[in-house]
């Protein structure tokens, strides 16, 4: 399984006393357990339940084990109270699987009863029907469980916020209450002075060792030695703050003082799948950590930078803080002074992310959060831009994209990952109550 395996609470249900095959419930449960184990899920086995009270007791076990979502295998008709009692003790998204093997079990009959009650109670549910190893059902479970995993891992996750937003970027403002309400994250505010103080504590010997190990591996190094050492010092300071404060993501405002002096540090943190966003973009940092959970790889972070109408493509890039693992080979990397400030150290390469790429943007909408998602096909970038360019080709006319993005209120930082993750992100938005937009160019 790609990325972090979701942790599933698995339970089978049957209503006894009505001659619908409740005696087959446990054998069907074991059959499903084998299929889920083979698929690579982390499973908490709740066995079979035959009453609302038993379901509630199983829910208590699931809650204690902190499962990401619950898979309910319906082996006969069951009362909706079975599931509503289950989520009272374990409030997690529910994947309802109607095993309609024998018509006398009438599992499909009860799914609308259950889903209607869940909707009224504002609980998220996904309903499928099919055999235990049905390809469609397994695909839907993969999407749903990954989305639920994102939601659960964010609950209580600690996000570092150092230096707040840049003074020139109004739209980068973050609402900590809203992030807590919708995503459950805890924002750890850190004055930028604390970062500089931590940098002063770093061991010069360790700094030199790290710099000596890194720069000979790169294809081109055109920076002053003192800038390389300072970049490593700042990386160690940021990494130390992450460890000390138990952070899963780290947002650092590099404007206007740090600029390229922190690019290498941001790059190295993202190589460790610690979502590190620059320019004080707290939302981008959260998304980059989510990408690490989904894919097990570092995320791409880039501005919507240039339209290529000839190839009907968009070039995304930032100024040179991309994770080195996205370069394909270390010899593709150039360490150079910033193109904006002519000092510091920027990490330049063309991003290697072949095939389908999913891009996602998260913005503060005042009283809501906006999640915008797009999907394109990677092509070679011929712009010559020094940064971490990633060119994506789209269906429809890319000339319409700037206005499409304006209408959905997307921001300027787009977080990218290999593969098609649109469905997982749509479900995540539904589970967390985010305003969701799938972005695509208008047709020619």
């Amino acid at each position: 399984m790609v990325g972090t395996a979701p942790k599933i609470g698995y339970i089978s249900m049957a209503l006894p006393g009505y001659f619908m095959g409740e005696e087959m419930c446990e054998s069907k449960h074991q059959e499903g357990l084998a299929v889920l184990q083979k698929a690579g899920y982390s499973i908490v086995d709740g066995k079979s339940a035959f009453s609302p009270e038993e379901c509630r007791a199983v829910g208590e076990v699931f809650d204690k084990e902190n499962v990401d979502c619950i898979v309910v295998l319906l082996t006969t008709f069951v009362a909706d109270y079975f599931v509503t009692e289950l989520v009272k003790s374990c409030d997690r998204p529910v994947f309802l699987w109607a095993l309609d093997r024998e018509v006398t079990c009438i599992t499909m009959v009860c799914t609308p009863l259950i889903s209607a009650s869940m909707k009224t109670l504002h609980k998220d549910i996904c309903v499928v029907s099919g055999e235990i190893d049905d390809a469609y059902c397994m695909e839907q479970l993969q999407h749903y469980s990954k989305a639920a995993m994102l939601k659960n891992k964010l609950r209580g996750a600690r996000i570092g916020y150092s230096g707040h937003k840049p003074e020139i970027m109004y739209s980068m403002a973050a609402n900590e209450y809203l992030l807590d309400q919708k995503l459950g994250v805890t924002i750890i505010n850190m004055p930028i002075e604390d970062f500089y103080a931590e940098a002063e504590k770093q061991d010069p010997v360790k700094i030199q060792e790290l710099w000596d190990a890194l720069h000979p591996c790169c294809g081109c190094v055109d920076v002053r030695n003192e800038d390389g050492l300072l970049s490593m010092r700042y990386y160690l300071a940021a990494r130390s703050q992450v460890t000390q404060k138990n952070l899963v993501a780290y947002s650092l405002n590099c404007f206007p003082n740090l600029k390229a002096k922190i690019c290498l540090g941001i790059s190295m943190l993202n190589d460790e799948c610690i979502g590190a966003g620059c320019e004080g973009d707290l939302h981008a940092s959260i998304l980059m950590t989510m990408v690490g959970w989904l894919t097990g790889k570092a995320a791409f972070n880039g501005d919507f930078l240039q339209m290529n109408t000839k190839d009907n493509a968009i070039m995304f890039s930032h100024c040179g803080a991309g994770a080195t693992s996205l370069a394909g080979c270390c010899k593709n990397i150039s360490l150079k002074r910033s193109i904006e400030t002519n000092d510091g150290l920027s990490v330049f390469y063309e991003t290697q992310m072949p095939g389908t790429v999913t891009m996602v943007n998260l913005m503060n909408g005042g009283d809501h959060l906006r999640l915008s998602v797009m999907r394109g096909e990677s092509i070679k970038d011929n712009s010559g831009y020094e940064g971490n360019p990633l060119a994506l080709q789209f269906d429809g006319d890319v000339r319409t994209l700037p206005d499409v993005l304006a209408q959905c209120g997307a921001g300027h930082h787009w977080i990218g990952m290999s593969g098609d993750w649109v469905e997982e992100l749509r479900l995540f938005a539904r589970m967390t109550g985010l305003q969701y937009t799938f972005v695509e160019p208008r047709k020619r």
Side-chain angles (χ1 to χ4, degrees):
M1 181 171 289
V2 176
T4 303
K7 190 174 187 179
I8 287 174
Y10 172 55
I11 180 174
S12 297
M13 297 180 181
L15 184 67
Y18 290 90
F19 306 103
M20 293 183 292
E22 66 268 20
E23 71 280 359
M24 295 183 286
C25 181
E26 184 57 30
S27 63
K28 292 176 180 178
H29 176 84
Q30 293 300 323
E31 187 181 343
L33 182 62
V35 170
L36 293 175
Q37 288 173 334
K38 185 178 180 181
Y41 293 102
S42 173
I43 301 169
V44 178
D45 187 2
K47 307 297 184 181
S48 302
F50 300 91
S51 70
E53 293 77 18
E54 290 181 4
C55 291
R56 186 161 188 160
V58 170
E60 291 172 358
V61 175
F62 289 165
D63 192 60
K64 184 178 179 181
E65 293 291 332
N66 192 28
V67 301
D68 296 319
C69 73
I70 301 172
V71 174
V72 174
L73 183 68
L74 298 178
T75 66
T76 70
F77 177 96
V78 299
D80 48 6
Y81 287 112
F82 280 50
V83 179
T84 58
E85 287 298 298
L86 176 69
V87 296
K88 279 182 182 178
S89 51
C90 186
D91 190 3
R92 302 291 193 279
V94 171
F95 189 84
L96 193 67
W97 193 325
L99 179 58
D100 213 16
R101 187 175 292 174
E102 300 90 14
V103 69
T104 52
C105 292
I106 56 172
T107 56
M108 279 296 293
V109 173
C110 66
T111 58
L113 298 173
I114 296 169
S115 59
S117 293
M118 292 286 281
K119 186 74 171 180
T120 302
L121 294 171
H122 304 288
K123 308 296 184 183
D124 202 273
I125 188 169
C126 177
V127 181
V128 298
S129 177
E131 272 296 333
I132 287 172
D133 59 352
D134 179 79
Y136 170 79
C137 295
M138 291 298 291
E139 180 184 14
Q140 297 310 302
L141 176 58
Q142 180 173 312
H143 294 318
Y144 194 76
S145 61
K146 282 280 191 177
M149 180 264 294
L150 291 179
K151 178 185 178 185
N152 195 38
K153 286 181 77 66
L154 282 174
R155 290 191 313 147
R158 294 165 61 85
I159 315 296
Y161 196 20
S162 181
H164 298 277
K165 73 175 184 66
E167 60 187 20
I168 63 169
M169 297 183 184
Y170 189 12
S171 67
M172 302 284 270
N175 184 331
E176 296 177 37
Y177 290 108
L178 190 60
L179 289 167
D180 191 346
Q181 177 191 22
K182 295 294 186 181
L183 304 181
V185 298
T186 299
I187 306 303
I188 309 300
N189 286 282
M190 300 183 294
I192 196 66
E193 291 81 7
D194 289 358
F195 171 78
Y196 288 121
E198 191 63 36
E200 289 300 314
K201 299 177 185 177
Q202 301 309 307
D203 181 4
V205 175
K206 179 67 172 177
I207 292 168
Q208 187 72 57
E209 288 175 351
L210 285 175
W211 177 238
D212 288 345
L214 174 69
H215 71 80
C217 301
C218 299
C220 173
V221 179
D222 182 19
V223 295
R224 298 177 303 181
N225 189 62
E226 56 264 37
D227 285 337
L229 294 173
L230 183 61
S231 294
M232 279 300 182
R233 178 180 291 276
Y234 283 164
Y235 158 69
L236 288 172
R239 191 65 182 84
S240 179
Q241 288 191 309
V242 167
T243 301
Q244 290 171 14
K245 298 185 181 294
N246 192 28
L247 308 176
V248 301
Y250 184 86
S251 174
L252 183 66
N253 179 12
C254 59
F255 187 90
N257 297 316
L258 282 167
K259 292 298 285 181
K261 299 177 181 69
I262 194 58
C263 283
L264 180 60
I266 295 294
S267 169
M268 294 174 71
L269 287 175
N270 281 306
D271 273 321
E272 300 170 39
C273 285
I274 297 165
C278 47
E279 295 180 349
D281 191 342
L282 188 61
H283 304 102
S285 300
I286 294 170
L287 290 176
M288 294 172 86
T289 289
M290 290 168 56
V291 167
W293 292 333
L294 281 174
T295 68
K297 298 178 180 178
F300 169 85
N301 183 6
D303 297 340
F304 186 101
L305 200 61
Q306 186 182 59
M307 281 190 292
N308 176 353
T309 54
K310 177 183 176 182
D311 295 322
N312 202 49
I314 301 294
M315 189 270 281
F316 300 83
S317 183
H318 220 290
C319 50
T324 58
S325 56
L326 299 182
C329 171
C330 59
K331 292 301 180 183
N332 294 333
I333 298 172
S334 295
L335 303 182
K336 295 184 178 182
R337 285 169 288 181
S338 167
I339 57 177
E340 296 180 9
T341 63
N342 200 35
D343 66 0
L345 187 161
S346 293
V347 184
F348 295 148
Y349 58 83
E350 181 181 350
T351 301
Q352 301 300 304
M353 201 172 276
T356 301
V357 174
T358 302
M359 305 290 280
V360 56
N361 175 270
L362 181 65
M363 288 296 294
N364 172 18
D367 59 354
H368 61 277
L369 291 171
R370 297 191 293 262
L371 191 77
S372 302
V373 179
M374 66 173 87
R375 178 179 54 212
E377 294 296 317
S378 176
I379 64 172
K380 181 168 178 53
D381 175 64
N382 295 310
S383 68
Y385 182 76
E386 280 198 315
N388 310 123
L390 172 66
L392 296 182
Q393 199 170 55
F394 294 90
D395 293 330
D397 190 341
V398 296
R399 293 174 297 181
T400 67
L401 262 179
D403 185 59
V404 171
L405 295 177
Q407 302 316 310
C408 71
H412 75 300
H413 285 160
W414 285 87
I415 309 306
M417 58 190 130
S418 290
D420 185 348
W421 297 95
V422 171
E423 184 63 7
E424 284 81 356
L425 293 167
R426 183 189 70 83
L427 290 167
F428 170 75
R430 187 179 80 188
M431 291 175 186
T432 53
L434 306 188
Q435 180 178 297
Y436 174 83
T437 304
F438 178 66
V439 176
E440 52 187 342
R442 301 183 188 114
K443 299 299 182 183
R444 295 179 185 272

